[in-house]
Amino acid sequence: MKSKLLALSCTVLSFTTSFGQSKDTTFKAQWKEIDSLIYTASLPKTAETKVEAIYQQATARKIQSQIIKAVSYKVMQRSGLTDKGTQASIELIRKETSKTSSPVALSVLKVLEAKEYIKYYQRNRWNLRERTNTTEKSGTDFTAWTENDFRNAISKLYEQALSDEAMLKLTSSEAYGSILTDTASLRYSRPTMYDVIVRDEIDYYKQVIDYYSRNISDSTMLANISLFITKNISLDNTPRIAIAKLFQQLLVFHEKDADKNVFVITDIDRLNWFYQSLSFSNKETTYKQSLQYLAEQYASTAAADMAWYLVANRMVNDGTSLYAPFGDTTHRYDLVKAKQLLQERIAKAKESDGKRNMQALLHSIHEPNLQTQVERINVPDKPFRMSLLYKNVDTLFIRILKVPTIITMDVGYDADVNKKLLDQAPYKTYYQVLPQTRD
């Protein structure tokens, strides 16, 4: 497998993999016109006619990817927000499934069917939670299903979609991938159809995780990649555990890639998600250590620049939000450490979005900042106090202005009032040299 690195972005890193087959651009102009009819001109009926025309042509020419794409557009137009729309969409998908012999096309159709159940579940989840779960499935009428019925049906469809795992791992995502996800995702983290479908299943579990799952505090979910990839994950089938298993499967799949960018990107996504999802005492430290381990182990990859950016970003956040000058000073020098790290990594990094993110973060550290707050109630003829927060500022220049009685009340920001005040000669001017703490 030959891989060509293109670029990285802050939360996504652009990546394209070639599998010895060209991108399927058949009907490209027609799809562009259809998208315009749907999203710009709001002419869904006209678009539907043109989708049917593509479907018939693709069927006649046996272009499987275009057949499935046409079906996905038909499903989108039928689905809507009603039970009948969902039923019509599922029937359409199943009809096409019965005619399809391509293993990859079958997998895509199974995912499309799962997505219809997911949309219905999401629309009706609060009502479904009132129904009593049973061990037996509540018939074929999904409108009468319980929450467990939907969970089991959706999981079964993803299981069927991934049944021909070997074929999916060998199939580029270029022809079918855009049916299930955005093209940017295909470039950076979903080079094969196996990646596309596993990532789609991960996204499903993320959507429903807050509704029926218990929290977990297993710190090994944030462990460094070498530990996580060999972890024996619990047999518990909660959504968080399912997500962990799926990330582990992706990492094992890409572990032996010649180009480790997708491998690193996948682990960054794993770490970011579990950082947001888990709660345990040393979460911050574990997260930063795992990111740093990843960046150091795979320093030759462009994706490592994004890991370094995330490490530095946590330092900046801690130095900004956790440092208390007259309290907890643990994080006093975090901004200094982040600055040093960024300067070192930027000097070594090649052009990538990870590098650009580091440059932007370094600029934010250097950027001057000054905030003042004056007490609202003061004793006449007595000095009044002003709180001053500053960064990268060495001198405070002050002008005292006489404010007419008519505008002494809090008028908020008013451009005309401010201009009148600033245009007048100041009552007094002076400056104050500020202490430079170098933190």
Side-chain angles (χ1 to χ4, degrees), residues 45-218:
K45 290 296 183 183
T46 305
E48 188 174 1
T49 301
K50 293 184 178 294
V51 169
E52 181 61 31
I54 291 179
Y55 176 80
Q56 295 299 334
Q57 292 177 55
T59 301
R61 294 163 58 183
K62 298 181 180 180
I63 307 174
Q64 198 66 58
S65 62
Q66 294 298 307
I67 294 172
I68 305 305
K69 185 171 183 176
V71 169
S72 73
Y73 270 68
K74 290 182 179 182
V75 166
M76 177 179 64
Q77 292 174 305
R78 283 166 172 73
S79 186
L81 299 174
T82 65
D83 295 355
K84 288 184 178 180
T86 301
Q87 183 64 52
S89 295
I90 291 172
E91 288 175 358
L92 178 64
I93 293 167
R94 288 180 175 174
K95 181 179 178 181
E96 194 61 42
T97 299
S98 67
K99 298 189 294 183
T100 301
S101 58
S102 163
V104 178
L106 283 170
S107 292
V108 175
L109 287 166
K110 291 295 182 182
V111 176
L112 288 176
E113 185 176 350
K115 284 177 174 292
E116 288 305 300
Y117 285 130
I118 292 168
K119 285 187 285 187
Y120 181 89
Y121 172 81
Q122 294 287 56
R123 292 199 306 267
N124 298 278
R125 61 183 181 269
W126 299 116
N127 290 331
L128 295 173
R129 295 186 75 180
E130 300 299 321
R131 298 178 183 176
T132 302
N133 286 314
T134 61
T135 55
E136 297 294 328
K137 188 174 179 180
S138 309
T140 58
D141 180 7
F142 65 85
T143 62
W145 285 0
T146 66
E147 192 174 32
N148 276 350
D149 292 334
F150 278 98
R151 291 173 59 186
N152 293 335
I154 293 166
S155 295
K156 184 67 175 178
L157 285 165
Y158 277 113
E159 181 183 333
Q160 292 171 345
L162 290 166
S163 60
D164 199 338
E165 185 177 311
M167 175 66 74
L168 294 171
K169 288 179 176 178
L170 292 172
T171 304
S172 167
S173 61
E174 289 188 298
Y176 289 95
S178 62
I179 298 171
L180 299 177
T181 190
D182 60 277
T183 53
S185 296
L186 300 180
R187 290 195 299 271
Y188 83 88
S189 64
R190 295 161 171 80
T192 73
M193 285 307 297
Y194 179 76
D195 292 285
V196 171
I197 294 174
V198 172
R199 288 281 194 156
D200 199 272
E201 188 173 7
I202 288 174
D203 289 342
Y204 153 62
Y205 283 119
K206 287 179 181 179
Q207 288 179 52
V208 299
I209 198 164
D210 292 331
Y211 305 127
Y212 53 74
S213 64
R214 63 178 177 83
N215 194 13
I216 57 174
S217 57
D218 187 352

Side-chain angles (χ1 to χ4, degrees), residues 210-352:
D210 292 331
Y211 305 127
Y212 53 74
S213 64
R214 63 178 177 83
N215 194 13
I216 57 174
S217 57
D218 187 352
S219 62
T220 59
M221 295 299 179
L222 270 179
N224 70 57
I225 192 168
S226 297
L227 295 175
F228 177 78
I229 205 169
T230 58
K231 175 180 169 58
N232 185 17
I233 298 175
S234 166
L235 295 177
D236 189 354
N237 199 32
T238 63
R240 284 186 180 85
I241 295 298
I243 289 171
K245 290 177 182 177
L246 291 167
F247 268 123
Q248 189 180 64
Q249 289 169 22
L250 287 174
L251 289 169
V252 169
F253 171 41
H254 289 293
E255 185 179 15
K256 296 182 180 180
D257 288 356
D259 186 319
K260 289 292 193 294
N261 275 284
V262 172
F263 183 64
V264 174
I265 292 162
T266 301
D267 200 51
I268 288 174
D269 289 346
R270 187 262 304 186
L271 291 171
N272 284 340
W273 189 81
F274 277 110
Y275 172 75
Q276 297 294 332
S277 177
L278 300 182
S279 177
F280 55 91
S281 58
N282 62 332
K283 183 176 79 168
E284 290 285 342
T285 301
T286 305
Y287 173 67
K288 284 188 285 189
Q289 288 176 344
S290 294
L291 279 172
Q292 187 165 339
Y293 178 88
L294 184 67
E296 289 172 346
Q297 290 295 309
Y298 303 97
S300 62
T301 66
D305 295 338
M306 188 60 71
W308 283 121
Y309 159 73
L310 291 168
V311 171
N313 191 51
R314 293 313 311 164
M315 291 180 178
V316 172
N317 287 343
D318 291 347
T320 303
S321 61
L322 299 181
Y323 168 48
F326 302 105
D328 185 355
T329 59
T330 304
H331 298 280
R332 175 174 179 177
Y333 293 101
D334 279 12
L335 289 176
V336 176
K337 294 175 184 176
K339 176 182 173 180
Q340 292 172 344
L341 174 63
L342 289 167
Q343 289 173 331
E344 291 172 4
R345 301 318 309 178
I346 289 170
K348 296 177 180 180
K350 297 179 180 179
E351 275 307 310
S352 67

Side-chain angles (χ1 to χ4, degrees), residues 323 326 332 369-370 388-396 431-439:
Y323 168 48
F326 302 105
R332 175 174 179 177
N369 183 269
L370 181 68
L388 178 65
L389 298 176
Y390 62 95
K391 178 171 72 77
N392 298 322
V393 177
D394 57 14
T395 307
L396 179 66
Y431 67 91
Q432 174 67 53
V433 176
L434 302 174
Q436 298 302 298
T437 58
R438 307 298 178 190
D439 56 6

